[in-house]
Amino acid sequence: MPTRAQQKDAGDPKCIARFTATANKAKEAALMYRAVADHARTEKQLRQRIAQQHPELHRAEPWARAEVQHAADSGARIVQQSWR
């Protein structure tokens, strides 16, 4: 029985280290997600300010974004076709 108790005591620090590592990873992920949320809030505020101060730019932005995306998609298709 004492041998089993020693094995259990030796395993405790390993278990604690594993839980600590998991907690640290979760903490880092939470910090990253908070930063992402802060950036999203900031962008939303900037978009609202642009919409108020420059409504014509605000209306044109989605169209320009779609045009850029379309150009990027077309470029990707050209690259894919050149590999064939």
Side-chain angles (χ1 to χ4, degrees):
M1 191 68 160
T3 309
R4 179 70 179 143
Q6 286 177 345
Q7 287 175 344
K8 192 172 186 179
D9 287 343
D12 285 346
K14 291 178 184 176
C15 185
I16 291 170
R18 191 171 53 248
F19 288 142
T20 302
T22 302
N24 286 336
K25 287 180 185 176
K27 183 179 176 181
E28 290 174 9
L31 289 173
M32 191 255 321
Y33 287 123
R34 283 189 191 115
V36 168
D38 289 342
H39 290 300
R41 276 189 228 100
T42 302
E43 183 177 354
K44 184 177 180 180
Q45 290 171 350
L46 290 173
R47 287 178 178 275
Q48 287 174 346
R49 188 182 311 159
I50 290 170
Q52 291 171 352
Q53 295 176 356
H54 306 285
E56 67 284 350
L57 291 176
H58 181 69
R59 284 190 297 271
E61 190 266 341
W63 178 80
R65 187 183 294 253
E67 192 173 89
V68 168
Q69 183 65 39
H70 178 70
D73 289 346
S74 296
R77 277 192 228 115
I78 291 169
V79 170
Q80 286 176 354
Q81 289 174 357
S82 68
W83 276 93
R84 290 182 184 174

